[in-house]
Amino acid sequence: TGARVADLLTTTDNVTTHAGLASLYGTTAWDGTGTPPSFPTDQRAGLLTRAAFLVSGDEKTSPFHRGVVIRRDVLCDPLAPPDPATLPPDALAPPPVDPTLTTRQRFTRKTDSPGCMACHRLFNDIGYVLESYDSLGRHRREELVYDDSGALVARLPLDTTAVPRIGEGPDEEKVISDPVALSQEIARSGKAEACFARQYFRFTARRLEDDPD
């Protein structure tokens, strides 16, 4: 009762009653009564650090996908779709696995041209901060690299420090080093509340907003 959108983004309460999911989070399952257990405070805070948001369709993460969802659906910042006529060959294919490179390094290399970064600067770094979680949403401090047969071929150190450009003015270039700080910055910006109101209107009215709205 009385909770705010900011609380949804920053709470450390873990209300899952499923033992397997609680184990993934590194905590205990809630029995449904009393105060729920808490996430490790240096690992998770709020909706954007939950497995349901982070899970992907295979063993690899996609920092671009995670970043786009937050930029577009949580912050309601506009993202123009790429012009198909200007895309280089295989531009939309994920970069191939390389046992010497982390996912961040591979994706950074793929979009390091000025033409790509004009748009990718808006969401790449958000996704790079979320590389603290693997494709199942498990918190990690190193990246395990597997080949196509499923064999582990490398363990690589993670770098999740980035400039996600959540705020405006001086805050636009603020450096974030972990997902908890990212969630706090999104909550602090006030943009998530405005976006929540917009998305709620679209869902309930079943149309996009216009000027009279």
Side-chain angles (χ1 to χ4, degrees):
T1 302
R4 306 167 299 156
V5 171
D7 298 322
L8 185 65
L9 293 166
T10 59
T11 179
T12 58
D13 289 346
N14 170 33
V15 295
T16 181
T17 58
H18 191 281
L21 182 56
S23 177
L24 182 148
Y25 287 146
T27 183
T28 57
W30 187 38
D31 63 6
T33 62
T35 302
S38 296
F39 294 125
T41 55
D42 63 338
Q43 296 182 11
R44 298 183 194 271
L47 184 66
L48 304 181
T49 65
R50 303 274 177 148
F53 175 81
L54 297 164
V55 69
S56 64
D58 57 28
E59 79 284 358
K60 296 181 288 294
T61 59
S62 176
F64 292 175
H65 176 75
R66 287 173 173 176
V68 165
V69 170
I70 290 179
R71 180 67 68 184
R72 182 188 61 203
D73 299 335
V74 178
L75 299 172
C76 285
D77 287 336
L79 284 176
D83 180 1
T86 65
L87 290 175
D90 297 324
L92 301 182
V97 172
D98 183 330
T100 68
L101 299 175
T102 64
T103 298
R104 175 177 184 161
Q105 291 168 331
R106 292 187 292 110
F107 277 70
T108 297
R109 179 177 293 183
K110 186 175 181 68
T111 60
D112 62 359
S113 69
C116 292
M117 286 307 297
C119 185
H120 276 265
R121 67 186 293 273
L122 296 174
F123 55 85
N124 279 15
D125 277 28
I126 296 175
Y128 295 154
V129 174
L130 294 174
E131 280 295 284
S132 290
Y133 307 105
D134 69 8
S135 59
L136 286 178
R138 293 175 297 196
H139 189 268
R140 61 183 180 177
R141 303 194 185 279
E142 62 179 0
E143 181 174 346
L144 306 183
V145 183
Y146 299 89
D147 64 17
D148 291 339
S149 71
L152 178 64
V153 294
R155 294 175 178 267
L156 302 176
L158 286 173
D159 175 14
T160 59
T161 300
V163 182
R165 295 180 173 86
I166 302 302
E168 298 176 352
D171 287 338
E172 186 178 7
E173 299 300 317
K174 187 171 183 179
V175 177
I176 299 296
S177 60
D178 63 79
V180 172
L182 176 66
S183 294
Q184 292 169 344
E185 193 65 22
I186 291 173
R188 190 180 301 115
S189 72
K191 296 172 72 173
E193 286 88 346
C195 189
F196 179 87
R198 177 176 293 183
Q199 302 287 24
Y200 184 80
F201 175 86
R202 290 174 176 178
F203 181 80
T204 55
R206 301 177 67 182
R207 63 176 175 83
L208 297 178
E209 66 281 359
D210 53 27
D211 288 342
D213 298 316

